[in-house]
Amino acid sequence: MENWDEVRTAYQVAKMGTVSGAAEVLGVHHATVIRHVDALETRLGVKLFQRHARGYTPTEAGQDLLRVAQATDDQFGQLVGRLKGHGDAVSGELVVTSLSAMSALLVPALTEFQNQHPDLIIRFLTGSRLFRLEYGEAHVAIRAGAPPEQPDNVVQPFMTQQHNLYASQGYIDKYGPLKGLDDMANHRFVANDDVESRAPYSKWLRAHAPESALSFRCVAGVSMQDALIAGAGIGFLTQWEAARYPHLVRMMDPLPEWTSDLWLVTHVDLHRTPKVQTFLKFLKAEAKAWTA
């Protein structure tokens, strides 16, 4: 559209809240930002911002502009992400997102895949935020729980993880082993601090252990693992994680409620590209050894 530079400038002012912040993002002088905003307000015949000592606050008209510009910016980002996924060569960027707890399995696999395709740049994104495949934020997502239902995604079963209750030998030496469900009140447990956690084993623990027994609580999975290894209490680990620590002892036979399904998720626009298909085939082959 005509005068897009002025709209883009106003959008950044609304996002950053200050002229200097917008100027830094856009890489222009602050005088250019002021000139663009003033010109746009004159052309539209409305005030887009309230000026005050702390910066610029969007008016109602400014909020409308922000919403339209945000949608345009998102759509452009989506286009860029999709364009990056096209092409016959396994090169450029491959963006994979998963739970951080999967790092010990995925990092060696991603490294081997990169060794096979040395022109590839790997971006491995973990964390609680759900990366948006529809906006090109990732090529492949590994997600846990119920099958993802976002439209335009291709969802494939990947693997099932079996979680078990473990304790360190140091914990057992101090408190003794867990002698069944009736003994849970006599022990200390490492738990997720999020009472709304949807992990099936986390729900089970809160349903069967007294609140007072959940004595060491963490937000991040890696912190829960570290606490378990340090002897802070009895806690859950996947079988493959526990196998890395010989001093851990399983406290109970596994229950069906302690399993969780993992899914491979791709966007329909990128699913059939050679890069994504090559990686999915490789990853599925690697995963066979993980569950063997």
Side-chain angles (χ1 to χ4, degrees):
M1 62 170 283
E2 187 181 0
N3 310 116
W4 170 247
D5 282 345
E6 294 171 1
V7 174
R8 185 164 62 102
T9 299
Y11 168 54
Q12 289 298 334
V13 172
K15 277 183 65 178
M16 305 305 296
T18 64
V19 168
S20 58
E24 183 175 353
V25 170
L26 295 168
V28 299
H29 194 273
H30 73 274
T32 301
V33 174
I34 295 172
R35 186 171 66 252
H36 281 182
V37 171
D38 289 347
L40 186 59
E41 288 183 330
T42 299
R43 186 171 292 106
L44 296 176
V46 296
K47 282 292 182 183
L48 298 173
F49 299 97
Q50 294 288 346
R51 281 78 164 168
H52 50 78
R54 296 185 305 278
Y56 280 37
T57 300
T59 62
E60 186 175 351
Q63 292 287 357
D64 285 341
L65 176 78
L66 178 61
R67 283 189 287 270
V68 172
Q70 176 69 65
T72 304
D73 191 59
D74 284 346
Q75 289 172 355
F76 183 73
Q78 178 182 1
L79 173 64
V80 171
R82 290 180 183 180
L83 290 176
K84 286 181 179 178
H86 291 292
D88 295 332
V90 182
S91 60
E93 287 189 348
L94 175 68
V95 186
V96 180
T97 176
S98 82
L99 300 171
S100 58
M102 294 288 295
S103 293
L105 290 177
L106 287 174
V107 168
L110 289 168
T111 300
E112 176 56 30
F113 189 68
Q114 189 176 49
N115 288 339
Q116 296 179 16
H117 305 280
D119 292 333
L120 197 64
I121 296 172
I122 299 289
R123 294 181 60 211
F124 180 43
L125 310 179
T126 61
S128 58
R129 185 169 80 84
L130 198 66
F131 292 90
R132 301 177 299 177
L133 302 186
E134 67 272 21
Y135 288 128
E137 291 186 338
H139 296 98
V140 178
I142 300 172
R143 293 180 179 161
E149 297 180 346
Q150 290 88 351
D152 298 327
N153 282 348
V154 179
V155 180
Q156 303 176 73
F158 182 40
M159 59 186 287
T160 298
Q161 291 196 115
Q162 178 64 59
H163 293 78
N164 291 325
L165 272 176
Y166 295 93
S168 70
Q169 188 60 54
Y171 175 88
I172 296 172
D173 291 343
K174 186 173 182 179
Y175 295 100
L178 179 66
K179 299 174 183 176
L181 295 180
D182 294 338
D183 191 35
M184 293 186 73
N186 300 318
H187 283 273
R188 305 168 70 86
F189 291 88
V190 176
N192 194 319
D193 194 51
D194 180 8
V195 297
E196 302 297 328
S197 172
R198 293 178 294 175
Y201 55 88
S202 187
K203 289 182 178 180
W204 182 93
L205 183 59
R206 286 192 174 273
H208 290 83
E211 186 76 11
S212 59
L214 307 180
S215 57
F216 201 106
R217 308 179 191 188
C218 309
V219 175
V222 65
S223 300
M224 295 172 64
Q225 178 177 306
D226 289 341
L228 172 59
I229 293 167
I234 301 170
F236 280 100
L237 280 183
T238 60
Q239 290 183 164
W240 64 264
E241 286 176 303
R244 300 167 61 209
Y245 303 100
H247 71 290
L248 294 180
V249 180
R250 197 174 74 184
M251 293 288 97
M252 290 176 59
D253 291 334
L255 298 176
E257 302 97 303
W258 299 350
T259 60
S260 61
D261 294 322
L262 296 178
W263 308 89
L264 288 174
V265 188
T266 54
H267 192 271
V268 65
D269 289 349
L270 295 180
H271 179 70
R272 290 296 176 189
T273 59
K275 178 164 56 181
V276 170
Q277 283 295 307
T278 301
F279 176 67
L280 291 176
K281 182 179 179 181
F282 168 85
L283 189 59
K284 290 174 183 177
E286 288 287 300
K288 291 179 180 178
W290 301 345
T291 55

